[in-house]
Amino acid sequence: MNKVLTIGEVLVEIVATTRGNGFLAAQPLVGPFPSGAPAIFIDQVGKLGTPCAIISRVGDDDFGRVNLKRLRADGVDVSGIEIAAGESTGSAFVRYREDGSRAFVYNIRHAACGKLRPTAASEALIESCTHLHVMGSAFSAPELGGMVMDAARRIKAQGGTISFDPNLRPELLDAPGMRAALAAVLAMTDLFMPSGEELFLFDAGRDEPAVIAALLDRGIRTVVVKRGAGGASLFQRGLRVDAKPLAVEEVDPTGAGDTFGGAFLSLWLAGSDPAEALRLANAAGARAVTRLGPMEGTSTRAELDALLSEQKG
Ligand code: ADP
């Protein structure tokens, strides 16, 4: 039986309710919502019934508890989340600008999840899991990056598989060692899930078909390109499938890519037909944007089927 592992930040997100003033004026805020890209991803994997776990760190506080409760309820093994006494759970405050773009105030580096380190529980999970999902953003923190790289090498050596979502803000790309770390992960990757321009990370200056062909030639089995409100595409040797975007009302795009990735991975690991896996992941991403709060839009299989049949009718 496959068991999926990811490693990284668990935090809460708190959202401003006004656009123009951002956080410069007092206002009602909404949240705390469970969050953190790896947490959203693994919550979606759990909701689809695939055995899964996350290695992370939270404080002994309500922000930590709200995450533990949600992840547990959705089927995620939380034994690898260390509860750090005397430390605070990470948080992110998000506001939307008038044009719909987002700006964040983060408290991550000095929070519990910014000091992730191996524990007996995390070591045991690395030994027992068969798949690791890597997020590129892990490499912006040297200790976390080192843990993720070590886990990737071990899971690969155990005969497991790796999925990789670059998940990188462009300004992080030029951090010391970042490109070398991303290239080392790519060399171990079985399923690559970039969004938009991230496809060209390793191969700037060539067009999409050439970049995809090069990735498949390196031995990557499946490449899935996330295209936001443009849908998504899947590539395997001799196969291209496109999924048109579903018509949904976008309320909050945060977490769509992680939700899409979690859904696609669950189906891919189960050996589903690639077109069917893409169709359901496209629905998971679409459903995610209709809910306020990054993890509020993760879906069960029944919710995905309902959205897809609604859109057919
Ligand atoms: P990321 O958050 O990694 O940038 P995207 O924004 O590309 O990811 O979203 C992931 C997927 O979610 C898309 O490929 C698409 O399937 C779906 N999606 C995202 N935004 C929308 C939208 N506005 N309408 C319909 N589907 C969407």
Side-chain angles (χ1 to χ4, degrees):
M1 185 70 151
N2 277 306
K3 184 163 180 178
V4 177
L5 178 65
T6 197
I7 305 175
E9 70 276 10
V10 165
L11 48 101
V12 290
E13 186 175 298
I14 292 157
V15 184
T17 53
T18 63
R19 288 215 162 178
N21 290 321
F23 290 115
L24 292 174
Q27 62 192 293
L29 303 171
V30 279
F33 295 113
S35 190
I40 299 161
F41 169 88
I42 211 70
D43 188 74
Q44 178 57 77
V45 174
K47 266 201 174 171
L48 288 179
T50 303
C52 60
I54 183 167
I55 293 173
S56 191
R57 202 156 179 272
V58 295
D60 188 9
D61 55 20
D62 282 353
F63 287 177
R65 283 187 275 279
V66 80
N67 273 289
L68 289 167
K69 187 171 166 210
R70 172 70 61 85
L71 292 169
R72 249 189 226 120
D74 290 342
V76 180
D77 173 351
V78 297
S79 63
I81 301 184
E82 184 187 356
I83 300 170
E87 293 184 38
S88 305
T89 300
S91 54
F93 292 77
V94 61
R95 68 180 173 86
Y96 287 84
R97 300 190 184 97
E98 295 287 6
D99 66 0
S101 64
R102 289 166 283 178
F104 290 90
V105 177
Y106 289 114
N107 167 33
I108 293 179
R109 191 170 306 186
H110 301 292
C113 64
K115 295 172 206 149
L116 207 51
R117 55 191 183 194
T119 62
S122 72
E123 290 295 295
L125 280 174
I126 294 167
E127 270 163 39
S128 67
C129 287
T130 57
H131 181 93
L132 180 72
H133 180 69
V134 177
M135 295 198 163
S137 46
F139 299 103
S140 58
E143 294 237 323
L144 172 59
M147 257 181 95
V148 169
M149 194 65 84
D150 175 60
R153 293 201 173 105
R154 287 164 59 188
I155 286 186
K156 215 50 198 183
Q158 288 160 205
T161 46
I162 306 280
S163 50
F164 177 29
D165 179 346
N167 189 40
L168 268 183
R169 284 174 282 142
E171 67 269 23
L172 293 179
L173 249 189
D174 294 315
M178 176 63 86
R179 283 178 189 270
L182 297 178
V185 174
L186 192 73
M188 293 186 265
T189 294
D190 301 282
L191 166 61
F192 184 44
M193 297 194 278
S195 88
E197 288 302 303
E198 290 166 356
L199 175 65
F200 303 98
L201 253 176
F202 302 99
D203 221 346
R206 296 212 278 171
D207 63 6
E208 182 172 302
V211 173
I212 299 281
L215 288 166
L216 297 176
D217 280 348
R218 306 171 60 123
I220 294 176
R221 258 158 58 199
T222 306
V223 178
V224 177
V225 181
K226 295 171 275 171
R227 305 190 197 274
S233 305
L234 172 149
F235 304 86
Q236 289 180 345
R237 216 169 249 293
L239 177 72
R240 173 182 178 145
V241 187
D242 295 294
K244 286 203 199 99
L246 299 186
V248 290
E249 191 197 342
E250 186 175 299
V251 173
D252 179 6
T254 311
D258 307 317
T259 306
F260 175 105
F264 186 84
L265 176 69
S266 287
L267 290 144
W268 183 85
L269 277 177
S272 298
D273 170 58
E276 178 67 356
L278 185 70
R279 200 171 78 95
L280 285 156
N282 188 48
R287 194 166 174 279
V289 306
T290 65
R291 300 288 192 282
L292 180 65
M295 201 190 279
E296 307 311 299
T298 55
S299 303
T300 61
R301 177 64 191 250
E303 285 164 338
L304 296 181
D305 288 339
L307 176 62
L308 284 162
S309 67
E310 232 172 69
Q311 298 253 339
K312 251 196 227 151

